Amino acid sequence: MHIYKVGGAVRDRLLGRPVSDIDWLVVGATVEEMHAKGYRPVGADFPVFLHPTTGEEYALARTERKSGRGYGGFTFHASPDVTLEEDLIRRDLTINAMAEDEAGVLYDPYHGKNDLDQRLLRHVSPAFAEDPLRVLRVARFAARYAPLGFRVAGETLELMRQISASGELQALTAERSWKEIERALMEAQPQVFFQVLQACGALPELLPELEDDTQALVALEQAALHEQPLHVRWACLLHGLAPASIKAVNQRLKAPRECQELALLTGECLAQGNQALALPAMALLELLQKFDVYRRPQRFEDFLVACQMTAFGEGKAGYPQADYLRGAAAAARAVDVKPLVQAGLTGQALGEALKAERLEALEVYQRS
Ligand code: ATP
Ligand code: MG
């Protein structure tokens, strides 16, 4: 049997980028031989194994044929007679379809090295169209490698257009789509992901809410430039949508709770954040209560940063509202509940007294 390094590890080494995980390909072996060598199978009917000591993934060479709509609609054929070329041709992009043997010799039947040099994301074969997830993968690689000058090859974009027009993207599960979106959001230029989806007609299929939203991508770009975490980037992307649309997107894509929460709160409260300096003390208090800033201070901070990123996206040089609101939050949080409890207040009466004291603290803060 022959073992090759494949996929991202080969591509990123040639690009001079750090290699995080290595995918291995095994040609000419049977499942029984893998067992005999101590490899552990990953799943019952999938020809992928974990190395006995390193834990890295070793996949048997296989061919694939589409057998139905959407995910799972694939039949695999893994056997010792499947060649390296046959395995590589089922892969998405030429730059992902290169292999390297143990001596470091490059196998590149689909000219991935040439496309790397030309900075082109190009599909390997027409079988590309068999898995609609590849539309998202290409957009994600475009976002990742945009700083290096990569773009999607014309004929690949055309194929992505056809996939989008076919309605096949609707067959993707929320889990598979979100995984790509999440990774794309964390890339250096995540806005490119959405630009590519727009260019191939996939955006109306996946995120129709964002179609005419010109502010979404500039806010996201700022969030990435400022190295913000996933949930802040997600909130920036959705900030211009009506709360009902934000809810719909969140639920359709099954975004994680932290992302859902911050996006919705940001959508609902951004206008108030922008007007913070003109808000009456009562409105300030209600904003702080809505965020439960007493128990969830970080969530309020994330909101302020998201607001700031949207302001940067609109070309503003600063966002004084953020520091002003930080000060207001600190003033309200400084109110001590203990004396009120010691005075014998409980339940609703305690809640009202606390609110009155916080309101007063905010009024003092505003005068200072
Ligand atoms: P990353 O740096 O994001 O891990 P990668 O290229 O290693 O990039 P993986 O998702 O780890 O991506 O997949 C490993 C390889 O498997 C890819 O390089 C590609 O050759 C192939 N591959 C993965 N998913 C698909 C897919 N949906 N369609 C076709 N080929 C795929
Ligand atoms: Mg990988």
Side-chain angles (χ1 to χ4, degrees), residues 60-345:
L60 294 189
R62 66 175 190 258
T63 57
E64 284 174 359
R65 206 151 5 97
K66 192 169 172 66
S67 58
R69 199 177 148 87
Y71 189 45
F74 273 100
T75 46
F76 300 105
H77 168 72
S79 93
D81 53 67
V82 173
T83 64
L84 178 64
E85 286 74 12
E86 283 170 337
D87 180 279
L88 294 177
I89 202 168
R90 70 175 170 82
R91 292 167 187 269
D92 49 3
L93 296 172
T94 60
I95 63 166
N96 291 342
M98 295 182 279
E100 207 177 273
D101 69 12
E102 282 139 309
V105 176
L106 186 70
Y107 294 83
D108 182 19
Y110 308 108
H111 315 293
K113 178 71 172 65
N114 191 41
D115 286 336
L116 264 192
D117 293 340
Q118 291 199 58
R119 303 306 199 220
L120 276 177
L121 303 170
R122 190 201 306 274
H123 66 284
V124 178
S125 86
F128 179 92
E130 292 180 357
D131 179 5
L133 189 77
R134 292 169 187 160
V135 171
L136 282 81
R137 281 179 57 91
V138 173
R140 173 165 68 78
F141 284 116
R144 181 190 293 178
Y145 297 126
L148 298 179
F150 274 80
R151 63 207 158 77
V152 181
E155 64 269 31
T156 302
L157 198 64
E158 181 49 39
L159 206 46
M160 290 161 70
R161 268 194 205 110
Q162 289 170 21
I163 296 169
S164 303
S166 76
E168 272 275 309
L169 289 166
Q170 301 298 336
L172 290 173
T173 63
E175 286 78 8
R176 286 189 96 203
S177 299
W178 175 260
K179 221 171 123 203
E180 292 300 323
I181 292 170
E182 171 174 6
R183 295 183 69 186
L185 285 169
M186 293 313 293
E187 297 294 355
Q189 295 189 17
Q191 70 279 10
V192 172
F193 174 76
F194 298 96
Q195 285 160 352
V196 170
L197 293 182
Q198 172 74 53
C200 71
L203 203 61
E205 297 287 307
L206 295 165
L207 282 161
E209 294 85 352
L210 285 180
E211 260 232 284
D212 302 309
D213 191 336
T214 53
Q215 290 308 304
L217 297 193
V218 285
L220 175 61
E221 182 178 0
Q222 288 299 322
L225 281 172
H226 291 84
E227 298 182 352
Q228 291 301 314
L230 178 68
H231 57 295
V232 173
R233 295 184 188 206
W234 183 240
C236 286
L237 181 72
L238 303 188
H239 80 272
L241 304 183
S245 298
I246 299 176
K247 268 188 209 161
V249 175
N250 274 336
Q251 282 165 13
R252 197 173 65 240
L253 290 168
K254 298 190 185 160
R257 172 185 285 274
E258 199 180 23
C259 288
Q260 293 209 14
E261 224 178 62
L262 187 67
L264 187 57
L265 280 167
T266 303
E268 287 171 342
C269 301
L270 177 67
Q272 279 160 291
N274 290 344
Q275 284 154 32
L277 281 81
L279 287 182
M282 186 49 107
L284 267 185
L285 182 64
E286 277 162 10
L287 182 65
L288 299 175
Q289 309 271 51
K290 182 161 173 117
F291 276 85
D292 192 9
V293 75
Y294 318 105
R295 280 180 295 183
R296 308 276 308 270
Q298 184 57 45
R299 187 171 64 175
F300 189 59
E301 178 58 30
D302 292 339
F303 162 69
L304 296 180
V305 172
C307 292
Q308 186 176 4
M309 296 304 129
T310 68
F312 287 169
E314 287 162 10
K316 305 211 168 67
Y319 193 70
Q321 294 92 325
D323 272 342
Y324 178 79
L325 286 170
R326 283 184 190 107
R333 294 183 68 205
V335 171
D336 192 0
V337 66
K338 265 190 232 119
L340 300 174
V341 174
Q342 278 160 5
L345 291 172

